[in-house]
Amino acid sequence: NYKTVPAAVNNISIPLGPFNLALPRLIAFVVALLLIFLISELIGKTNLGRAMRATSEKTNVSEMLGIDTKRTFTIAFIIGIVLAGIAGLLLTPMYDIKPTTGATFKSTALMIVVLGGIGSIRGAFICGMFVGLVEQLISTFISADLGPAAVFIFFLLVVYKKPQGLFGRKERTA
C-alpha cells in the first residue's frame, strides 16, 4: 500500500504569472540551494574539506601526509547519508512513499553528476538545474514521457563528446 504524508502545506501554491508553484517544491528548492552552499563551503574552505579532497585523489599519499583516511571516509559517508535523508524528507510531500520511489531519482542523479564532472559541485549544480529545466519544459509542452528521454539523449551526446563531463577536468598524471 502506498503511503502519503498528509500536510496542509501540500495544497498551497504560489501563482507566478500563468503558472502555479507548489509550496513543497519551493521549500525543497530553497533547502537544496542552502545545502549546496554549505557543502561547497565545507569542501572548499575547511581542513576537513581539504582532507576529503586529498583522500579522494590519492589515499596512499594522504595517509603519508598524516590524514586519517578512515575517519575522512566515515565523515564523508555520514554527510552523504544525512543529505540522502534530507532529500527523502523533502520529497515525501510531493510523491507517494513506496519501495521504488528512489529509483526514479537514481539514474537522473548519476547522469547529473557525470554531466557536471565527477567531483565538481558547481558543475553538478549547473547541470542539475539545466536537466530539471529541460525535463520539465519537454514534459510540459511536448509529452510527459519524452522529458526523461530528452535528458538521456543529451547525456549520451555529452559523454560521447566530452567523457569527463562539462565541468570536469582530465585526470592528472605524474
Side-chain angles (χ1 to χ4, degrees), residues 2 7 13-14 16 20 37 40 50 53 55 73-74 87 95 106 108-109 112 125 144-146 149 172:
Y2 296 165
S13 62
I14 300 166
L16 294 173
N20 287 325
F37 174 76
S40 180
R50 188 174 298 125
R53 290 191 317 265
T55 301
F73 281 126
T74 303
Y95 295 93
K106 282 191 303 188
T108 305
I112 288 169
F125 173 73
D145 296 332
L146 290 180
R172 297 191 309 180

Side-chain angles (χ1 to χ4, degrees), residues 107-126:
S107 58
T108 305
L110 178 65
M111 284 191 287
I112 288 169
V113 168
V114 172
L115 280 173
I118 303 291
S120 172
I121 295 173
R122 180 176 60 96
F125 173 73
I126 292 170

Side-chain angles (χ1 to χ4, degrees), residues 9-10 18 21 39 41 48-50 54 67 93 97-98 100 109 112 115 122 127 143 157-158 167 172-173:
V9 79
N10 290 354
L21 177 63
I39 290 296
E41 291 294 309
L48 174 62
R50 188 174 298 125
I67 296 172
I97 301 170
K98 55 188 174 190
T100 59
I112 288 169
L115 280 173
R122 180 176 60 96
C127 286
S143 170
L157 290 173
V158 169
F167 297 92
R172 297 191 309 180
T173 56

Side-chain angles (χ1 to χ4, degrees), residues 25-153:
R25 291 186 184 272
L26 179 63
I27 292 169
F29 179 71
V30 170
V31 170
L33 284 179
L34 177 66
L35 289 173
I36 289 167
F37 174 76
L38 291 174
I39 290 296
S40 180
E41 291 294 309
L42 173 80
I43 290 176
K45 296 186 179 179
T46 65
N47 288 334
L48 174 62
R50 188 174 298 125
M52 291 171 112
R53 290 191 317 265
T55 301
S56 71
E57 187 147 338
K58 295 278 187 197
T59 306
N60 296 338
V61 175
S62 300
E63 288 175 349
M64 287 189 278
L65 292 172
I67 296 172
D68 185 357
T69 56
K70 287 184 182 179
R71 179 179 161 268
T72 304
F73 281 126
T74 303
I75 292 172
F77 182 75
I78 290 169
I79 290 171
I81 294 295
V82 167
L83 291 175
I86 293 171
L89 177 73
L90 293 172
L91 289 173
T92 54
M94 294 179 264
Y95 295 93
D96 293 334
I97 301 170
K98 55 188 174 190
T100 59
T101 300
T104 309
F105 305 105
K106 282 191 303 188
S107 58
T108 305
L110 178 65
M111 284 191 287
I112 288 169
V113 168
V114 172
L115 280 173
I118 303 291
S120 172
I121 295 173
R122 180 176 60 96
F125 173 73
I126 292 170
C127 286
M129 296 297 289
F130 178 75
V131 163
L133 184 66
V134 166
E135 188 172 349
Q136 285 302 310
L137 286 174
I138 289 178
S139 294
T140 301
F141 294 115
I142 298 174
S143 170
D145 296 332
L146 290 180
V151 170
F152 188 68
I153 290 169

